[in-house]
Structure formats: C-alpha cells, structure tokens
Amino acid sequence: MRATRRDFIGGVWAMPALGIGGWAGAYEALERFRTLSARLTGFPAASLDPALAGDLLDALRATGEGAGLDDLTDGTADGALGGLAAQIIAAWYSGIHPTADGPAARAYREALVWQALEFAHAPGYCSTELNDWSRPPAGAGPDAIT
C-alpha cells in the first residue's frame, strides 16, 4: 500500500501529541488509532480521514486520555473505558472533538453522520446528483412514494 498525502499529514499531526520524533512511530500510532476507530464506528479504516484521525488523537492525548487510548488500541481495556470509546465514536460521527478548552468543531461535512445517513447531506452543501431530492431513499420499496 502506498502512503498518500493525507497519510503523511495525519502522521505529522500526530507526532507532537505522541512525543515521537520518528516517522515510523507516528504513522504506526495513527494507523492503530484508525483501526480502533474503524472497530468502534463500523466504518472501514481506509474511509477514515488520516488528518482528522491525527487531530482527534492529538485532542484526546491533550485532554489526558493517553493511557486509556493505549489500553483501547492494544485490546486490554476494561469496562471503565467505555466512556472513552463512546467519546471517540461521538467525535467521529459529530465532528466535534474534545480539547483542553472544551469541545471544538473540527469537521462538518466530513463527520461520519453524513455518510451513515445515506438519504441526507450536510446542510449548506448541495448534493452532487441532479434532482436527488425527488427520488425515494435507498432501499425504499415501490410504495415509498405516494
């Protein structure tokens, strides 16, 4: 697999938060976090933006969640870390990330909620398909339009 520009940016963003000077270590930590995020959100890791993942990883470490993240990514988490897992899921779906100064919007159109809701798109952004408003939702039967 070839690294893309997004992979590079995500790795660079994760480096300060992880205290890692080497490229390989930052990339590995970011990929572990993307794998964890994929397991938690139900989306493939390849569909999770590396830059956004790096930003979320950085934000979680800045708020003191480093040890909990390590436990979640290596699979040794206990039941007490469910709140951290829920926080990661909420951040991916909403685009709002925790910071030391409180929640901050880091993504809008890229938030997973718009990918999960196949029939909707982010307000303020037009669909790329002509007249998509006139078609029934995906999976709707012939009786969907009355």
Side-chain angles (χ1 to χ4, degrees), residues 28-29 32-33 35-36 39 61 66-78 81:
E28 179 184 323
R32 284 181 37 211
F33 182 70
T35 301
L36 167 68
R39 194 174 76 226
R61 291 211 185 264
L69 279 171
D70 292 339
D71 290 343
L72 279 174
T73 56
D74 67 15
T76 60
D78 60 13
L81 294 174

Side-chain angles (χ1 to χ4, degrees), residues 5 10 17-18 21 23-24 35-38 53 59 66 81 89 98 100-101 112 118 123-124 134:
R5 182 175 153 266
L18 300 173
W23 293 105
T35 301
L36 167 68
S37 296
L81 294 174
I89 294 167
D101 299 326
L112 293 182
E118 295 175 358
S134 66

Side-chain angles (χ1 to χ4, degrees), residues 22-121:
W23 293 105
Y27 184 78
E28 179 184 323
L30 180 64
E31 287 307 304
R32 284 181 37 211
F33 182 70
R34 285 177 69 198
T35 301
L36 167 68
S37 296
R39 194 174 76 226
L40 293 173
T41 63
F43 281 86
S47 72
L48 300 176
D49 184 351
L52 196 54
D55 189 36
L56 177 55
L57 180 60
D58 186 24
L60 289 169
R61 291 211 185 264
T63 59
E65 300 289 358
L69 279 171
D70 292 339
D71 290 343
L72 279 174
T73 56
D74 67 15
T76 60
D78 60 13
L81 294 174
L84 177 56
Q87 191 175 14
I88 293 169
I89 294 167
W92 275 110
Y93 275 89
S94 69
I96 298 173
H97 295 188
T99 68
D101 299 326
R106 299 288 191 213
Y108 178 61
R109 190 175 189 182
E110 300 80 14
L112 293 182
V113 66
W114 305 118
Q115 294 176 34
L117 298 173
E118 295 175 358
F119 58 87
H121 54 83

Side-chain angles (χ1 to χ4, degrees), residues 109 121 125-132 135:
R109 190 175 189 182
H121 54 83
Y125 287 92
C126 295
S127 174
T128 58
E129 296 180 36
L130 185 61
N131 294 328
D132 71 335
R135 289 189 292 277

